[in-house]
Amino acid sequence: MARMKFLCDADRCIDCNACVTACKNENEVPWGINRRRVININDGKPGERSVSMACMHCTDAPCASVCPVSCIFSTDDGVVLHSKDLCIGCGYCFYACPFGAPQYPKVGNFGSRGKMDKCTYCAGGGGPEVPGSIEEYKKYGANRMLEGKLPLCAEMCSTKSLLAGDGEIIAQIYKERVIKRGYNSGAWGWKTAYHEGISV
């Protein structure tokens, strides 16, 4: 079975934010929260890079290991989902995640922020809603995987910097790029998120 992963090739990202906009529009993400964002590393210095970042759907997700109510879990495809019905909004997952993916959807004092929100890999949600239903969409956003599609953020990337899909295929694409350009700047976040299996 395919293990779904993300990879951002920092040599191709042009900081256009198309991935951020695509995610917000496709999933109707509330104002004040971004499930995906573009960050700059070494901003204004030699070697500056832009990286599209969201939940990496880690192999051994640290957010899931610290959740006191076990509302974060991995699917058979390796997508890390969370149940908003079980979430108590404690914020432990936010502090455990090396990518800062889980976020509060509401701004306010601690305790009034509500339940956590995070990238769902456009795979719907972790609740009891029928996959592909309006109820699931309202709570978690689009379920493109049900339609056999990849996350819209990766599909909208004009430079194909952001790759999504089967980890083995992504690793092969990245290796071919490295061979062609003759150097490897690093697949940002890959080794942090995916501990075993395929190397790039």
Side-chain angles (χ1 to χ4, degrees):
M1 177 171 275
R3 170 74 167 80
M4 297 296 134
K5 296 183 181 184
F6 276 125
L7 182 141
C8 183
D9 186 346
D11 274 345
R12 286 182 167 228
C13 183
I14 58 172
D15 197 11
C16 69
N17 282 280
C19 55
V20 176
T21 305
C23 177
K24 285 190 81 66
N25 288 341
E26 181 73 359
N27 297 298
E28 295 184 16
V29 178
W31 185 256
I33 187 169
N34 286 326
R35 288 183 178 175
R36 177 164 290 284
R37 60 197 182 284
V38 177
I39 62 161
N40 292 316
I41 300 170
N42 297 327
D43 195 15
K45 299 176 185 172
E48 176 181 354
R49 295 282 190 266
S50 295
V51 178
S52 178
M53 184 186 314
C55 176
M56 293 289 285
H57 302 276
C58 301
T59 302
D60 186 20
C63 57
S65 65
V66 299
C67 180
V69 293
S70 301
C71 75
I72 301 174
F73 60 95
S74 291
T75 66
D76 292 339
D77 291 326
V79 177
V80 177
L81 296 177
H82 69 297
S83 169
K84 289 188 180 182
D85 296 328
L86 297 176
C87 179
I88 59 173
C90 66
Y92 290 173
C93 54
F94 171 78
Y95 293 108
C97 177
F99 306 105
Q103 299 173 40
Y104 286 108
K106 298 178 185 172
V107 178
N109 297 329
F110 188 82
S112 63
R113 296 178 182 174
K115 298 175 186 286
M116 299 305 280
D117 189 87
K118 65 176 277 304
C119 165
T120 63
Y121 205 86
C122 287
E129 296 79 18
V130 176
S133 67
I134 293 171
E135 293 78 22
E136 181 190 48
Y137 180 81
K138 285 180 181 177
K139 196 181 280 188
Y140 299 102
N143 191 340
R144 293 174 57 85
M145 280 190 73
L146 187 65
E147 302 169 15
K149 298 177 182 176
L150 292 174
L152 191 62
C153 56
E155 287 195 8
M156 293 302 292
C157 183
S158 61
T159 62
K160 298 304 175 206
S161 162
L162 182 60
L163 301 174
D166 184 344
E168 292 183 17
I169 295 170
I170 290 173
Q172 186 58 42
I173 291 169
Y174 185 71
K175 285 176 186 177
E176 289 171 10
R177 288 179 182 180
V178 169
I179 290 167
K180 188 172 183 178
R181 66 183 173 223
Y183 64 92
N184 177 6
S185 69
W188 199 88
W190 185 274
K191 290 182 182 176
T192 303
Y194 316 118
H195 301 292
E196 87 276 336
I198 311 140
S199 61
V200 291

